Amino acid sequence: MSAIALKNVTLDSGVQLPYAESGRPDGIPVVFVHGPGETWRSFQPVLGMLPPTLHGFAPTQRGHGDASKPADGYRPADYAADLVAFLDALGIERAVLAGGGSGGVAARIVAGGHPHRVAGLVLLGTPASLDGKEWAAEARRVTDRLGEPDGPDPAELLPEDAADGAGPEWFATAMAEDARATPPRVWRETMDGLLDSEVGTTLGGILVPTLALRGDQDERVTPDDQARITDTVPAARLDVLEGVGHAVHWEQPASVVGRLAEFAEAVTRRAA
């Protein structure tokens, strides 16, 4: 098991981000990007399993957990700008970016706009687009009512994997806690930013090696949706995990770590 250290960093913008770090200092840098309503803890099982070849970083994004909560800046491009600033603040010249769910949207914006900073891109159950997806429209309806006296439980917005008890009980509890601790306005502005953006266009211009991981039981991201990623990104390939739902890194962290390590080592050799 890799030891996990909790740290904080202040970006040039003044935004403060807590982050978790694990692995050897001389390992390949991998920056994990969580989805809406989560924190670095979304990757806690993965961080604890990293091999000596990887050096993992998992920032908590603005508005979430103990990170700064500015009045605005919750669109995909804002989260992407924070990612670049995070790399700058920690002196990471080039890293593999691994985005979970919609966190992969910000990661691929960075991959497309700053390819010299990205050795490879890993998309963990990340949709190509949110257009026409009923679950995404329902998420907006739920976030619109958060904070009302009889409003919904924010934990309802988590992938169904959490509700079905993916992983140990402590992990499902942690994910629910993080969802409930995310301010309603951050939920709303983040979801509006995703749904009001042309998310599919963020696939354009990505030339870095890309690995898309999908669970074959994922009801949010369909095979056709993933095919759009491999059809659009020239250096992309798809790997399907059997018997797994949407949050592949929650359900099968060991399998994800194995594939991630193999991918990171391959792209690093290729760049050498």
Side-chain angles (χ1 to χ4, degrees):
M1 295 290 287
S2 296
I4 299 174
L6 301 182
K7 303 180 181 182
N8 288 277
V9 65
T10 300
L11 308 183
D12 284 345
S13 63
V15 170
Q16 294 183 342
L17 302 182
Y19 68 96
E21 181 177 355
S22 72
R24 293 171 58 97
D26 59 350
I28 301 166
V30 180
V31 177
F32 296 93
V33 190
H34 66 75
E38 302 169 11
T39 68
W40 72 267
R41 295 197 293 179
S42 178
F43 292 102
Q44 188 169 355
V46 169
L47 290 168
M49 296 179 180
L50 293 186
T53 53
L54 301 183
H55 187 186
F57 304 85
T60 293
Q61 298 190 72
R62 62 167 61 204
H64 297 73
D66 293 327
S68 296
K69 297 175 176 60
D72 53 21
Y74 298 100
R75 301 182 67 81
D78 299 314
Y79 289 118
D82 280 354
L83 275 178
V84 176
F86 180 80
L87 295 176
D88 291 342
L90 269 62
I92 302 173
E93 294 185 7
R94 205 158 179 256
V96 172
L97 298 185
S102 296
V105 175
R108 68 196 195 201
I109 291 174
V110 177
H114 304 269
H116 61 293
R117 307 299 299 273
V118 181
L121 176 65
V122 179
L123 302 174
L124 306 170
T126 300
S129 171
L130 296 177
D131 295 343
K133 290 186 168 59
E134 178 53 33
W135 64 265
E138 176 61 20
R140 170 174 268 175
R141 289 191 287 269
V142 171
T143 56
D144 283 346
R145 296 184 54 232
L146 290 180
E148 295 179 359
D150 296 318
D153 180 355
E156 294 178 15
L157 292 159
L158 294 173
E160 292 76 8
D161 315 61
D164 293 341
E169 184 176 350
W170 67 263
F171 181 73
T173 299
M175 294 301 93
E177 289 174 349
D178 288 344
R180 291 167 183 145
T182 304
R185 69 176 179 89
V186 173
W187 267 115
R188 278 192 289 272
E189 292 179 32
T190 300
M191 189 55 60
D192 287 347
L194 284 166
L195 291 174
D196 293 341
S197 302
E198 293 294 334
V199 168
T201 64
T202 62
L203 290 170
I206 297 177
L207 300 177
V208 303
T210 299
L211 172 64
L213 289 179
R214 174 185 179 271
D216 66 350
Q217 304 300 310
D218 190 348
E219 296 182 356
R220 293 191 176 194
V221 180
T222 66
D224 288 345
D225 190 85
Q226 292 293 273
R228 179 174 174 182
I229 294 176
T230 54
D231 289 345
T232 306
V233 179
R237 68 179 177 87
L238 172 64
D239 197 348
V240 179
L241 299 179
E242 295 184 1
V244 183
H246 178 62
V248 292
H249 56 297
W250 294 5
E251 288 195 60
Q252 288 193 6
S255 295
V256 169
V257 168
R259 287 164 170 79
L260 173 62
E262 180 183 5
F263 174 78
E265 292 163 20
V267 299
T268 301
R269 286 196 301 270
R270 189 179 310 168

